[in-house]
Amino acid sequence: MVNSTPLLSETESPELGVLNEDEVDLQTLDEMIEWCVEGFGWRQFLQALLVSLAWFFDGQQACISDFSDYSDAETTCDSARNGTVYNSIVTEWGLECASSFITGLPTSCFYLGCLIGGFAFATLADSSLGRKNLLILSCSIMSLAALATSFSPNVWVYSALRLISGFGRASIGTSALVLSTEMVGKKSRGLIGMIGLFIGTLGLLALSAIAYLLRDASWRYLYVSTSAPAILYCLLIFFYVRESPKWLFMQGREDEAMAILGNIASPTKHCTLKSYLSSFPHKQETTKFDLYSSIKDLFRRRWALTRLAKVMTLGFGIGMMYYGMLLGVGNLGFNIYLSVTFNALLIIPSYFMSYFLLNGWNRKSTLLGFTMVSGVLSVACAFVGSESVEIGLELASFFCTCVAYNVLVIYTIELFPTSVRNSATSMMRQAITLGVLFDPTLISAGREIPHLTYSVFGIAIIFCGFVVLFLPETRGTTLSDTMDEQEQRDFAVNNP
């Protein structure tokens, strides 16, 4: 049973005055930070905004192949070889004559790199590097590899560099999301999460605009114009972003954590916390210096492994649908620049809806409802005869998938304690990437079998969506810090 004795009770200080248990009743690390950073000050907002800007560059590199690898249906082998303006790798290297495996290889390599990098980096943010340093490392690898890609002499070097770029990109979204949400209280987690995802959409819109402006130039300039700003951004993170105080506390670095909280909290709260920190009953993981301690904890405890498997199943189905539709816009028959823009614009209202749903609805019912509707609309899209109706169903299905994706990201953060949160979120994103690996093949096959692609998308998200029924509800709950604390909390909920 959790100790009910408040941290501060009837305590008097010449600077602070009298504090009673109605004013401060802190029993966990998250409650301490919640009290310290309650509200949403301008410092927290600037921190979250700067961290979330990583999504801008992440979104660009994730979808840049829509333009750099674009194949115009009217381009022939002869026109590809004789072209004077190489605005894609297809026209420069004559890949219209190549098999679908070769033309799809760079995209597949990028997401294969994401898969490998996700497993390689999964534990670093929870163990040795922390959230901030992993964000810098990941963004630097992705950006430098993207810059080097602009000098590729052939499709094989190009594919290898895309794999390295994907390897670095794997942990950007997770690190940025966890770092920004751990700087605020539970009331602001949904808003902060939506800010990051919204900025990612702005990156996709900017990519479409840049590609349009460079439509008569080489595809190489597209990589330079998107990677150079990302490299400069890494320097901004290094100098101006602060580490998560929750992670610092879990590592025993209390002085650093208190210094960061001192820049966020009011002077009164900071002095109070500093004075009474020695009596605060927070816990530290005994395996904090073990690189793979968080993964071991996830796999050692049956409830955590089962929960992780369910979250990854959800991620697989949602990821296959979400990125499959984004990567398949070239199959719609519309202008490629407008197609990407329309899809990106559709994501924006999904953030607003997700934000209100996170505040007003349960996580489970939201995920279940939107995955089911998305799947049904996708299957229907595969069999309608009217092109206008087909496009409408596709957009509606994608919108529902966007909402489900947004909610899943926040839901995953709430399902796991601080000590393994980044690792669990990374594993969920790995499942999303695994689903994306099937998309290039499905999209290619869909050019010959029109009903196949959207039918598979719909069936996959429907079956995976049912898994949410077996997960606990997290709306309005306080985040746990350790695995033991999470177990105690779950036991209390299941055995009232």
Side-chain angles (χ1 to χ4, degrees), residues 121-179:
F121 292 146
T123 65
L124 295 182
D126 286 329
S127 54
S128 58
L129 282 184
R131 282 72 158 124
K132 173 186 171 179
N133 289 334
L134 181 58
L135 180 60
I136 295 173
L137 177 64
S138 297
C139 195
S140 298
I141 293 175
M142 181 193 74
S143 305
L144 292 172
L147 182 62
T149 302
S150 63
F151 300 98
S152 300
N154 53 57
V155 69
W156 307 110
V157 174
Y158 178 84
S159 298
L161 289 171
R162 289 298 287 157
L163 186 145
I164 296 173
S165 185
F167 179 85
R169 181 250 176 187
S171 294
I172 290 179
T174 302
S175 300
L177 184 65
V178 173
L179 177 56

Side-chain angles (χ1 to χ4, degrees), residues 250 285 294 296-301 303-305 416-420 480-490:
M250 297 304 297
E285 295 293 343
S294 55
K296 290 178 180 178
D297 274 344
L298 284 171
F299 282 81
R300 184 184 301 121
R301 311 200 186 204
W303 68 267
L305 180 60
F416 296 91
T418 302
S419 59
V420 298
S480 299
D481 303 318
T482 66
M483 298 292 278
D484 290 338
E485 184 182 335
Q486 185 72 57
E487 287 184 357
Q488 293 174 8
R489 185 165 293 173
D490 291 343

Side-chain angles (χ1 to χ4, degrees), residues 217-424:
S218 171
W219 58 270
R220 299 176 187 272
Y221 290 104
L222 184 60
Y223 276 95
V224 173
S225 60
T226 54
S227 60
I231 294 173
L232 296 176
Y233 169 72
C234 294
L235 297 176
L236 287 178
I237 301 175
F238 180 80
F239 288 108
Y240 295 107
V241 168
R242 301 179 183 277
E243 183 56 90
S244 164
K246 291 177 68 68
W247 180 80
L248 290 172
F249 269 117
M250 297 304 297
Q251 296 295 306
R253 295 158 63 177
E254 296 178 352
D255 291 339
E256 295 177 63
M258 290 303 297
I260 292 173
L261 290 175
N263 289 322
I264 297 176
S266 65
T268 300
K269 288 184 176 182
H270 180 246
C271 290
T272 303
L273 290 173
K274 187 175 182 179
S275 300
Y276 292 95
L277 181 62
S278 59
S279 61
F280 185 76
H282 72 274
K283 306 170 186 176
Q284 297 177 19
E285 295 293 343
T286 57
T287 56
K288 64 183 180 182
F289 296 110
D290 185 347
L291 181 61
Y292 297 102
S293 61
S294 55
I295 290 294
K296 290 178 180 178
D297 274 344
L298 284 171
F299 282 81
R300 184 184 301 121
R301 311 200 186 204
R302 183 174 180 181
W303 68 267
L305 180 60
T306 302
R307 183 173 297 184
L308 180 63
K310 294 171 184 175
V311 167
M312 291 181 67
T313 301
L314 277 169
F316 179 88
I318 293 174
M320 178 182 288
M321 175 78 84
Y322 185 93
Y323 284 99
M325 290 187 171
L326 283 177
L327 295 172
V329 293
N331 291 355
L332 296 177
F334 297 107
N335 180 284
I336 183 64
Y337 306 103
L338 291 177
S339 296
V340 174
T341 300
F342 290 154
N343 276 269
L345 287 174
L346 191 63
I347 299 174
I348 295 177
S350 76
Y351 296 143
F352 292 100
M353 175 169 284
S354 300
Y355 173 69
F356 288 110
L357 290 173
L358 285 169
N359 287 330
W361 282 24
N362 292 337
R363 279 41 168 163
K364 292 179 61 175
S365 57
T366 300
L367 274 171
L368 181 63
F370 279 89
T371 53
M372 295 302 106
V373 173
S374 176
V376 170
L377 291 175
S378 181
V379 173
C381 174
F383 293 98
V384 298
S386 171
E387 182 176 322
S388 59
V389 175
E390 180 183 30
I391 294 172
L393 290 173
E394 186 270 337
L395 291 175
S397 177
F398 180 63
F399 177 80
C400 293
T401 305
C402 290
V403 174
Y405 178 89
N406 299 339
V407 174
L408 177 62
V409 171
I410 303 301
Y411 188 39
T412 303
I413 289 176
E414 296 174 338
L415 281 169
F416 296 91
T418 302
S419 59
V420 298
R421 184 171 298 126
N422 202 94
S423 298

